[in-house]
Amino acid sequence: MDYFAQQLINGLVLGSIYGLIAIGYTMVYGIVGMINFAHGDIFMIGGFIALISFLILVSLGLTFVPVILLIVLLVSMAITALYGWTVERIAYRPLRHSFRLAPMLSAIGMSFVLMNYSQIAQGARVKPVPPIITGGYTLHESVDGFVVRLSNVQIVVVITTIVLLAVFTWLVARTRLGRDMRACEQDQTMAALLGVDVDRTISMTFVIGAALAAVAGMMYLLYYGLVDFFMGFVAGIKAFTAAVLGGIGSLPGAMLGGLLIGLIETMWSAYFSVEYKDVAAFSILIIVLIFMPTGLLGRPEVEKV
Amino acid sequence: MAPLAPAAATAVAAKRGLGAAFIFQKALISALVALVLFSLMIGVRTEAGPEGQLIYWTRFGDLAAMVGTVFVGSIVIELLRHWWGPVETIRVVPARVTSGLALARRAIAPVLLIGTFLVPVIFYDQRYILDLGILVLTYVMLGWGLNVVVGLAGLLDLGYVAFYAVGAYSYALLATNFDLSFWVCLPLAGILAAFWGVMLGFPVLRLRGDYLAIVTLAFGEIIRLVIINWQDLTGGPNGVSGIPRPTLFGIPLDNSDDGLAALLGIAYSPTHRIVFLFYLILALALLTNWATIRLRRLPIGRAWEALREDEVACRALGINTTTTKLSAFATGAMFGGFAGAFFATRQGFISPESFTFQESALVLAIVVLGGMGSQLGVALAALAMIGGFELFRGLEQYRMLVFGLAMVLLMIWRPRGLIGHRAPTVFLEHNQAISSDVVKEGRG
């Protein structure tokens, strides 16, 4: 039971990271209707920028951890958001009205570009950092000595996710930008006729998605203590799996899907085999889609003739 | 290009006159964006130090060079854009140009084919060119195989390399464990790959559009992960080695007494095997091409194309979409399996590293760049892509970067592919070409 509780905690933390990335996929898919294959690599870039800014801050002599974390968070969100904007501008905007395979291929191309760019710029080796946030709480200790722990890193990851989700939900539900986004999601032409700047709204969608991916990248760095140029690919597929599982286009769905994928992966590694955890996650995606083609919280797609 | 209307012409001229300040401003903004983008990623380099601790050093020179390149590059691009003026996106091809092109198109395929046949004769001594030719033909075959799924049936498959892997491993395992010959294993590899194609087909039957893409991607990854982790059977990351070479229907192509060279009474040369492999893959590729062309004229091929254009209308016409989709997946997968078996016998060694998502993306890029559904286009695209890839062999590190950039730029330049033209398979009175710019794609 204790073991299960510990895995539950680990799974939820991993799931919140996936959920943050999945939101970027779901938003872009909802508005533009394309899979942004480069999103996983944007997440990886976010992790790298967090790592580099952290190194610089430490060497500047900053020691107070919350301040460091806040600055790192803001810097990586800002720069990564600009990456998201640039990618949309270069590779997707010229193809907005092209036939549907074209933007997907240019997204795959962009993914290769980002992956190899960071490999060339920062080297192919894994970059480890010492634990930044240490300590934690012991929740329960069983008779045979198994300890259920909730580390401070896990608390930080979960709290950051909740806060960002709250801010983000407010953004979509209450602000002008959120209204524009929802309008574009329903009908871009009509939205444009009613005075919504569609190009700007789509750009902002990419920017917000990239900023959330940067947060996920930083959380990944805090949690696992390493980044490498290839981590965006697998994390990206899993986050997309999460978005599809939750019903693509639905924001609560993305978060739910993220949590589910995180839990499935952790539980599978804990009780079955670590080697097949990705196989388990992908198989569940396939099984869910057979029985619920629109995902858990997705709206049924209306077939138009 | 058609002559510009007077108003548009003056607008362009006005822009050309006014341009300098505007261009400068735009380039400045690009340079600023580049400065922020590259500031940490290029301006700072991290590396694990001697004690495992991360150290970093700054590279402001590189950063300045990159930002400068972006500034100048952006000016050049803007100038080019102004110089060319607005480009019409939809153009109606004049009849004379069409007929000229049609003639060239009719000529180019036989010329290419004869040229390919003659390659081993002309370049008999140049091993490098023969190897490159085999590589290009392998991708031509893979492209034609995937073309059945993506180009004809309009089903976006991002996990095609899985079938390539199934074919390769089928041959490798059957040949090393049971001593079966290549000619027995080849159909078996095709059948096994087709079987997996149907397995993939079942879950995706109810999915549409991009969901399909992600499920096929996941499927490809599942196959790769299983190959890596099922060490007892597949050898895991170490792969399978010692895969037997193909024989000319039982006659080995080696230096032994009952080898082909000894039987024919000529001096043995290792080039014989390369030439044989060249003609083998050429035959397999042509088989794929022939089968595709034949299938297109059969009801099943027409059903595929109907499915690509409009799934709902297709169902309304009483076409069974289940069998249509499954047959497309199975056919495409079978050709992938053949190519995989060939790959295994050519390399003599296979490992999961050869079957990554990058390969799938490369083959898909070949199909889309070739112009979906165009057999000739796919062949030309494979030649351009693999040949171009080869050109950058010296710049190993930058190869994938350039490949990614090329994919993006090609999609922007020609989203419909090199041969953006589709001849209808069914026509009433005479065969009329349609520029694919004006053809709307269904969301299959």
Side-chain angles (χ1 to χ4, degrees), chain B residues 248-266:
Chain B
L248 188 65
F249 303 105
I251 308 168
L253 294 156
D254 56 14
N255 206 1
S256 62
D257 287 339
D258 49 351
L260 183 71
L263 281 181
L264 293 179
I266 52 173

Side-chain angles (χ1 to χ4, degrees), chain A residues 14-237:
Chain A
L14 180 64
S16 14
I17 296 179
Y18 285 150
L20 282 175
I21 315 175
I23 287 175
Y25 279 109
T26 230
M27 276 185 359
V28 167
Y29 192 90
I31 293 185
V32 199
M34 67 170 276
I35 301 175
N36 181 8
F37 263 98
H39 192 64
D41 300 284
I42 295 273
F43 152 78
M44 175 268 299
I45 296 256
F48 262 107
I49 289 179
L51 172 88
I52 297 167
S53 46
F54 170 75
L55 279 182
I56 294 177
L57 285 178
V58 169
S59 73
L60 285 179
L62 235 65
T63 46
F64 189 50
V65 173
V67 172
I68 295 184
L69 289 184
L70 192 67
I71 298 177
V72 169
L73 184 72
L74 292 178
V75 168
S76 68
M77 275 174 90
I79 297 185
T80 313
L82 196 62
Y83 270 94
W85 182 84
T86 315
V87 165
E88 195 270 337
R89 203 54 193 262
I90 293 177
Y92 307 151
R93 187 176 289 185
L95 292 167
R96 187 83 45 80
H97 303 290
S98 191
F99 89 126
R100 85 190 158 82
L101 265 182
M104 176 177 281
L105 270 182
S106 84
I108 293 176
M110 215 59 219
S111 160
F112 287 160
V113 169
L114 288 176
M115 205 189 286
N116 288 279
Y117 155 73
S118 36
Q119 188 189 354
I120 293 167
Q122 297 295 330
R125 261 186 277 171
V126 173
K127 311 276 160 155
V129 283
I132 299 158
I133 307 173
T134 49
Y137 302 95
T138 304
L139 294 183
H140 182 263
E141 189 166 353
S142 65
V143 203
D144 54 349
F146 187 82
V147 184
V148 180
R149 275 180 62 84
L150 180 63
S151 67
N152 285 339
V153 183
Q154 292 176 321
I155 297 174
V156 169
V157 171
V158 171
I159 288 181
T160 316
T161 309
I162 293 173
V163 169
L164 277 169
L165 269 187
V167 170
F168 183 73
T169 314
W170 169 80
L171 198 80
V172 173
R174 292 267 178 271
T175 60
R176 172 77 200 260
L177 177 67
R179 214 171 57 204
D180 288 357
M181 279 170 154
R182 280 176 288 143
C184 287
E185 194 173 338
Q186 293 209 335
D187 190 333
Q188 280 184 28
T189 322
M190 202 59 213
L193 284 174
L194 294 174
V196 174
D197 187 341
V198 176
D199 275 348
R200 194 178 145 271
T201 311
I202 292 176
S203 279
M204 285 312 289
T205 310
F206 276 85
V207 164
I208 294 173
L212 288 177
V215 179
M218 179 182 160
M219 297 300 140
Y220 187 93
L221 175 72
L222 289 179
Y223 195 49
Y224 290 103
L226 51 89
V227 288
D228 70 275
F229 78 101
F230 197 65
M231 74 185 198
F233 179 65
V234 175
I237 308 184

Side-chain angles (χ1 to χ4, degrees), chain B residues 251-298:
Chain B
I251 308 168
L253 294 156
D254 56 14
N255 206 1
S256 62
D257 287 339
D258 49 351
L260 183 71
L263 281 181
L264 293 179
I266 52 173
Y268 169 76
S269 150
T271 317
H272 292 163
R273 192 170 55 79
I274 308 293
V275 171
F276 173 67
L277 283 174
F278 187 94
Y279 282 119
L280 177 61
I281 185 65
L282 182 60
L284 283 173
L286 288 179
L287 172 76
T288 313
N289 187 27
W290 176 80
T292 312
I293 291 173
R294 298 293 296 178
L295 282 171
R296 273 180 89 156
R297 295 174 197 284
L298 294 177

Side-chain angles (χ1 to χ4, degrees), chain A residues 33 37 59 83 90 95 98-99 101 104-105 113 116-118 121-122 127-128 233 240 248 275 289-290, chain B residues 37-38 41 44-46 54 56 59 156 158 206 210-211 214 229 357 368 372 400-401 405 411-412 415:
Chain A
F37 263 98
S59 73
Y83 270 94
I90 293 177
L95 292 167
S98 191
F99 89 126
L101 265 182
M104 176 177 281
L105 270 182
V113 169
N116 288 279
Y117 155 73
S118 36
Q122 297 295 330
K127 311 276 160 155
F233 179 65
F240 189 83
I248 201 154
E275 292 87 27
L289 283 178
I290 293 175
Chain B
L37 288 185
F38 298 145
M41 285 299 277
V44 179
R45 173 76 151 92
T46 56
L54 270 189
Y56 75 89
R59 295 185 297 195
L156 182 51
L158 287 178
R206 294 176 57 186
D210 299 324
Y211 283 90
I214 201 72
N229 290 312
F357 172 64
V368 175
M372 304 212 315
M400 282 312 288
L401 187 75
L405 270 180
M411 279 304 118
I412 295 173

